[in-house]
Each structure stands twice: as C-alpha cells, then as structure tokens.
Amino acid sequence: MLTLTGTLDDTLMLSQPLPITVEWRDEYVTITAPALGTRSMGQSPEDALEDLRAAIADRYHDLETRGTSRTISAEQEWEQFGEYVAPART
C-alpha cells in the first residue's frame, strides 16, 4: 500500500500516513486518497502528488472557514479530514 506523508502547504501537514492509490492512464497519472474522497491528475507522479496535496489543503481550508455553518455531510467530511490533516508544526 502506498501512503502520502509530510506537509500539504505552508500551514498544514498530514498527521499520519494517508493511504493513496495510483493509476496510470494513457499519458496521465491519477492519484486518489479514498479516505478523504480526493483525487488528482498529472502528467507525472510528481505533478499528481503536488496537485493532490493542494486539493487536500484547499478542501481543508474550505471546510475550516465554514465553521458552524457546515452542513451535516460537510461536518462528517471535516471530521474525516481531522483524522489526517493538522496544522503544520512551526
């Protein structure tokens, strides 16, 4: 099983290894993080990983800014993200 670790952006990091799957299709690589329902594509594995890190960080920030106005499904997603994503240590 492959996992993603480390920082997501300047403010976020993964608090535990995140399981990922990698698929090569024609000229593209698709990387999926099933636990977070997030997917990205790139022409190389490095591009797809960079896009996945950005997609996870963007979604985390989006859910975070909703605060108490999150829907029930968004609250469940927020809890799921909380299992893997944490503020970066300074």
Side-chain angles (χ1 to χ4, degrees), residues 37-48:
T38 308
R39 173 181 304 183
S40 68
M41 287 179 63
Q43 290 185 333
S44 70
E46 294 81 11
D47 290 343

Side-chain angles (χ1 to χ4, degrees), residues 21-36:
T21 60
V22 180
E23 296 178 56
W24 281 262
R25 294 184 182 171
D26 300 321
E27 299 175 15
Y28 294 94
V29 177
T30 301
I31 300 180
T32 306
L36 299 180

Side-chain angles (χ1 to χ4, degrees), residues 15 22 50:
S15 58
V22 180
E50 183 178 330

Side-chain angles (χ1 to χ4, degrees), residues 29-82:
V29 177
T30 301
I31 300 180
T32 306
L36 299 180
T38 308
R39 173 181 304 183
S40 68
M41 287 179 63
Q43 290 185 333
S44 70
E46 294 81 11
D47 290 343
L49 281 172
E50 183 178 330
D51 287 349
L52 182 63
R53 288 180 188 281
I56 293 169
D58 288 347
R59 186 62 180 152
Y60 181 92
H61 290 303
D62 175 54
L63 291 167
E64 181 180 41
T65 58
R66 291 184 191 188
T68 58
S69 67
R70 286 189 286 268
T71 63
I72 292 172
S73 62
E75 186 62 32
Q76 291 169 342
E77 188 178 3
W78 172 249
E79 290 173 8
Q80 195 112 26
F81 270 68

Side-chain angles (χ1 to χ4, degrees), residues 3 5 26 37 67 76 85:
T3 59
T5 60
D26 300 321
Q76 291 169 342
V85 181

